[in-house]
Amino acid sequence: MDTDARPRRRGPYAKSAERRRSIVDAAFEVFAARGYQGGSLQDVADRVGMSQTSLLHYFPSKADLLVAVLNRRDVVADTGPLEDETRDFPTILIDQARFNEGVPGLIELYTVLCGESVTEHYPARDYFEHRFARLRDEYSAELRKLEAAGRLREGVDIERAASSIVALWDGIQTQWLLDDSVDMAACLADYLGLIIRPSAP
């Protein structure tokens, strides 16, 4: 018999990795709906059909699971380094806003956990502090490039504009969660149009 035709058994590592992914996906849904404070490990365990004791074998603490969920969120969608040379900075941001609308639970998870991050002893506070600092740095760098190219409008303070883009994006997302008739991408585009000149045709 051709042994290559036999179905290959999946090793314990593959099964363990799959189980970890299913736990993180379940926690993603629980934390998006109930927040980190309101969602329990038992809620997550129930979604994957396992005991809380078994879940703790994969994630020793709720804080460890939260970090994994945030890392998962970054894989699903994140602005990341702005290195796409086929699109300019405003287009990248607007496209990202449109993309986020189409990922179920993504905006809910981010908004809920970000709001909780200002509470005392929140385990992911550093994550959000570093994320905001990184975004401000990246956006400032992109705005400086636009300034050098003559596309930044007069009187724009680059650091304040970078912070304003972050604040506008987060605020518009919260409004969209409460009323999905709010056009996040259009609101973001309107502000960017106030500080950035259109590219030459």
Side-chain angles (χ1 to χ4, degrees), residues 11-188:
Y13 177 80
K15 291 180 180 179
S16 177
E18 182 177 338
R19 176 61 80 176
R20 286 177 63 89
R21 283 193 296 271
S22 66
I23 293 170
V24 172
D25 287 344
F28 191 109
E29 296 174 0
V30 168
F31 293 161
R34 303 179 185 178
Y36 174 78
Q37 308 291 2
S40 69
L41 289 177
Q42 189 62 56
D43 292 331
V44 177
D46 289 344
R47 285 188 181 239
V48 292
M50 65 192 307
S51 69
Q52 184 171 326
T53 300
S54 296
L55 185 152
L56 291 172
H57 172 74
Y58 296 93
F59 295 96
S61 71
K62 189 178 178 184
D64 291 326
L65 184 54
L66 176 61
V67 171
V69 167
L70 289 170
N71 288 334
R72 167 67 174 155
R73 181 262 169 209
D74 286 346
V75 169
V76 174
D78 194 358
T79 52
L82 302 170
E83 299 176 350
D84 187 345
E85 296 180 357
T86 65
R87 298 175 297 162
D88 66 358
F89 175 60
T91 302
I92 290 174
L93 295 188
I94 294 164
D95 287 350
Q96 184 72 51
R98 290 198 179 101
F99 173 81
N100 288 356
E101 289 183 5
V103 183
L106 180 69
I107 296 177
E108 290 90 337
L109 176 79
Y110 175 82
T111 302
V112 169
L113 297 186
C114 183
E116 288 184 334
S117 71
V118 301
T119 59
E120 190 175 7
H121 304 308
Y122 190 72
R125 184 184 182 100
D126 286 349
Y127 168 88
F128 286 100
E129 288 179 348
H130 294 154
R131 173 179 170 77
F132 285 139
R134 174 178 61 80
L135 289 176
R136 287 192 299 268
D137 287 345
E138 288 182 2
Y139 294 173
S140 293
E142 292 299 320
L143 291 172
R144 289 191 186 94
K145 292 178 185 178
L146 291 170
E147 182 181 43
R151 290 188 55 196
L152 200 65
R153 298 188 187 277
E154 294 181 7
V156 173
D157 182 285
I158 288 177
E159 280 69 29
R160 289 203 300 267
S163 295
S164 296
I165 293 170
V166 176
L168 174 63
W169 199 332
D170 281 14
I172 290 297
Q173 285 189 152
T174 301
Q175 292 184 55
W176 181 82
L177 288 173
L178 298 173
D179 180 0
D180 63 9
S181 69
V182 174
D183 191 331
M184 291 195 295
C187 291
L188 191 57

